[in-house]
Amino acid sequence: MIHPGGILEVITGPMFAGKTSELIKRIERQAYAKKKVALFKPSIDDRYSREEVVAHNGLRYRAYVVPTSNEGVEEIARLVRRGRFDVVGVDEVQFFPAKIVKTLNNLADSGIYVIASGLNLDFKAEPFPVMRELLVRADNVVYLTAVCTVCGRPATRSQRLIDGKPAPRDSPVILVGGRESYEARCRLHHEVP
């Protein structure tokens, strides 16, 4: 049975667009409205904190930390059922396996307000498969842009850097990092040698 209160919302864009800040803002708003909220983050993202989702600007919120595996996705579903949460947020959703799509969709179908935040494209400007699937199933999509570090125009891509130079195409797709490894770039200034 589909509950009228369920919704799947996806926040996406490149690095430094404010996706995590927007996710935390929405979670805090729901907590303020006395909704029971839960925020989840992948265990591989320990950049600023192990127990909190932390935005690049320092905004933070306590989170459940789960592995980026099918078992981690099952743990999310189990914790949500046990906690009877009204609102569920997942940060860095692109790091989870494909099973996350069905799980989040099922949670929304069961009446939960689900907010998933993640990168639209990898450093090669290729879509993350999980994001592609979530975006087409979302009831609402919030697409954020950053500012290109080269020209100041709207940036839609994440430029990976190695020693200050664009990372080659054969670099690993997953590299958790911040300003030391990435810049926001527009289409014109994004490079993948």
Side-chain angles (χ1 to χ4, degrees):
M1 179 176 136
I2 297 177
H3 187 282
I7 187 170
L8 174 58
E9 188 166 58
V10 177
I11 303 167
T12 193
M15 294 280 293
F16 312 113
K19 297 178 305 299
T20 299
S21 295
E22 185 65 28
L23 172 63
I24 292 171
K25 183 174 80 172
R26 288 168 188 258
I27 289 291
E28 286 180 331
R29 183 182 303 139
Q30 294 300 312
Y32 182 76
K34 307 231 184 308
K35 300 292 184 184
K36 193 167 183 187
V37 303
L39 186 53
F40 294 89
K41 71 178 273 182
S43 57
I44 64 171
D45 183 7
D46 59 0
R47 289 173 289 184
Y48 303 114
S49 171
R50 288 200 177 282
E51 302 86 24
E52 298 170 305
V53 168
V54 182
H56 295 296
N57 66 4
L59 193 61
R60 57 186 59 228
Y61 200 91
R62 187 98 148 128
Y64 291 95
V65 181
V66 294
T68 53
S69 62
N70 283 333
E71 291 77 21
V73 174
E74 290 166 9
E75 187 176 344
I76 291 172
R78 196 170 36 257
L79 288 167
V80 170
R81 278 193 308 272
R82 191 173 68 213
R84 298 182 188 221
F85 295 104
D86 304 306
V87 182
V88 172
V90 180
D91 195 35
E92 302 293 358
V93 73
Q94 77 277 357
F95 292 144
F96 288 96
K99 186 174 187 173
I100 193 74
V101 176
K102 183 176 182 182
T103 298
L104 296 182
N105 204 47
N106 287 344
L107 291 174
D109 284 349
S110 72
I112 295 172
Y113 175 17
V114 178
I115 312 165
S117 174
L119 291 169
N120 56 337
L121 305 170
D122 65 21
F123 81 98
K124 297 181 274 190
E126 298 292 331
F128 281 99
V130 164
M131 289 305 289
R132 183 176 38 227
E133 290 299 312
L134 279 173
L135 289 167
V136 298
R137 287 171 171 72
D139 298 296
N140 185 43
V141 175
V142 178
Y143 191 99
L144 301 174
T145 58
V147 175
C148 180
T149 57
V150 176
C151 68
R153 283 184 263 182
T156 57
R157 289 159 170 66
S158 302
Q159 179 71 61
R160 182 177 301 158
L161 302 172
I162 299 175
D163 296 325
K165 297 186 180 351
R169 182 169 291 283
D170 62 355
S171 298
V173 172
I174 304 297
L175 173 71
V176 178
R179 296 190 192 284
E180 76 286 350
S181 304
Y182 291 95
E183 289 181 348
R185 298 273 182 99
C186 67
R187 180 182 293 272
L188 178 66
H189 293 109
H190 181 257
E191 300 175 57
V192 184

